[in-house]
Every structure is written in C-alpha cells, then in structure tokens.
Amino acid sequence: EDQVTQSPEALRLQEGESSSLNCSYTVSGLRGLFWYRQDPGKGPEFLFTLYSAGEEKEKERLKATLTKKESFLHITAPKPEDSATYLCAVKDGANNLFFGTGTRLTVIP
Amino acid sequence: DSGVTQTPKHLITATGQRVTLRCSPRSGDLSVYWYQQSLDQGLQFLIQYYNGEERAKGNILERFSAQQFPDLHSELNLSSLELGDSALYFCASSVALSGDQSQYFGPGTRLTVL
C-alpha cells in the first residue's frame, strides 16, 4: 500500500539553527515527490517537485533532496517567517497523490 | 496568490443539509482536484477532473459528488451532511492531466456542520 510518513511531527528551532525534515515513502512507480508549505488556514503553497533519486532542488533557505526511499527538506539558517507546516506528497504510477500529515515548524527569534 | 479561487470562504450549515462549493482554476489549467483536510486526517484526495471529465477518484464518499463545467470551473456537492464532514475543502489545479506538474491550491472553504 502506498504510504507517506513525515517526521518529526513538530520541530522548534532557534533562528539560524539549521535542520532537516524527513519524508519517507512507499509507492508503486514514483511519478514525483512534491513539497508544499502551508500556513494556518490557507492552501498549500507549492515548493518543489523531485522526480528521481539523487535529484536536488533549492529555493532560498530550502533545499530538497530525494533518495529511493525518502526525501529531506533541509532548512539553512531559518528565519521566523519560515514557520509553517511543510507537507510532502508522492504521486504513484496510477497518478494517485498521497500526502503526509506534515511537519509543523516553528522558528523562534 | 496561486490564481485558484474558491467560494465561499466559510460555510456553516446543519446536519442533513446539502451544500455546493465552487472552484475556478488558474487560467489555462485543465485539471481540477478536490481535497478534504481535517485535523485528524491530514489532506485527503477526493476527486480529479480534466477538461470536464472525471479522471481519478480518491477517498470520496457516495454522498459527495463533483463536476467540471465547460468554462472549467468546478463544483463539489456535499449532501446529507454529518458532523464529521466539518473540514477545510481545497481545490487545486494543474496544467496537465498526468499531474507530474505541480498542483496550485486555492485558499479553501471552511465547512462547519452543526
């Protein structure tokens, strides 16, 4: 059964303290792995798509990487405005999209 | 602003009632997706339409139905509402059918069933 697990559920960082969020997945025929950011009460905002193991994408303080079993979202020197819930989703060979439950990140000034 | 619009923003109704949620995709996007997000379940895929036709179904209840119109806007109909249907309902759109493209989400409709 296709599955997406994100860890940790919640993460508190001091401003400037780098860390990584994990998304592990089990899927038949990965068509893509997606990272989204979601602020409270708002729709998810697209960040990255990764398609194959070894691929990396960067945007400002965020860097996403992909292996055959998991993806990491690295946050370098985070700022308070990076506080949000980060969602990971995978699309399987049948074009079904499965979301993880997210990591709630809080960056303390 | 993703370019996807959803109305209404909030909806409060009673058990047993029927409601309709509306979504307009980004200009040029042919695929529309509906999701339900509740506190305990995360984001759950409900259904996808592409250029007016249903293309994929997720965890959508029989009490729920959707359609996509010729102008590409979509409506999600929820009937015989139960307390457990209270959630945020999101619409997303993408350019292509296959959705290897990223999906762009609307701001959501918060449904409260009393």
Side-chain angles (χ1 to χ4, degrees):
Chain A
E1 181 182 308
D2 295 343
Q3 217 170 6
V4 180
T5 304
Q6 290 189 248
S7 62
E9 283 188 21
L11 182 63
R12 288 171 65 90
L13 298 173
Q14 292 290 329
E15 185 172 0
E17 179 188 0
S18 301
S19 188
S20 295
L21 313 182
N22 177 264
C23 171
S24 62
Y25 63 90
T26 306
V27 69
S28 303
L30 180 72
R31 296 288 299 272
L33 185 141
F34 305 83
W35 281 100
Y36 287 86
R37 168 193 170 125
Q38 187 174 23
D39 293 301
K42 295 193 174 180
E45 175 191 342
F46 169 73
L47 294 174
F48 304 108
T49 307
L50 301 166
Y51 293 104
S52 57
E55 191 174 357
E56 298 182 353
K57 294 257 177 91
E58 279 189 75
K59 180 180 178 179
E60 295 179 356
R61 294 178 293 282
L62 300 176
K63 179 179 175 181
T65 61
L66 181 64
T67 73
K68 287 189 177 177
K69 292 185 179 180
E70 57 192 350
S71 177
F72 292 93
L73 185 65
H74 307 277
I75 302 177
T76 302
K79 298 183 177 182
E81 53 262 42
D82 295 321
S83 297
T85 295
Y86 290 85
L87 299 170
C88 167
V90 297
K91 184 176 287 287
D92 67 10
N95 286 321
N96 299 308
L97 191 64
F98 300 91
F99 277 84
T101 51
T103 293
R104 189 172 66 254
L105 174 66
T106 304
V107 182
I108 305 160
Chain B
D1 184 357
S2 66
V4 178
T5 60
Q6 289 186 248
T7 56
K9 200 167 182 177
H10 300 280
L11 200 48
I12 301 174
T13 188
T15 54
Q17 295 298 304
R18 173 190 169 95
V19 297
T20 298
L21 314 183
R22 183 188 168 104
C23 166
S24 293
R26 292 188 319 159
S27 177
D29 285 0
L30 299 178
S31 266
V32 169
Y33 308 78
W34 285 98
Y35 293 89
Q36 180 191 58
Q37 188 176 42
S38 53
L39 280 174
D40 57 345
Q41 292 242 337
L43 205 58
Q44 299 286 320
F45 168 66
L46 296 177
I47 197 164
Q48 177 199 0
Y49 278 81
Y50 177 79
N51 203 20
E53 291 188 10
E54 181 186 306
R55 297 312 296 250
K57 247 182 178 177
N59 298 322
I60 188 165
L61 299 171
E62 285 193 13
R63 301 183 284 109
F64 296 0
S65 65
Q67 52 184 331
Q68 186 180 27
F69 295 87
D71 67 352
L72 300 178
H73 91 272
S74 178
E75 293 181 357
L76 179 67
N77 300 296
L78 315 177
S79 61
S80 302
L81 285 167
E82 302 175 359
L83 295 177
D85 297 327
S86 295
L88 269 168
Y89 290 84
F90 289 106
C91 165
S93 73
S94 68
V95 170
L97 169 64
S98 68
D100 287 352
Q101 309 281 334
S102 56
Q103 295 180 19
Y104 292 85
F105 283 76
T109 293
R110 181 175 293 281
L111 173 66
T112 302
V113 182
L114 301 175

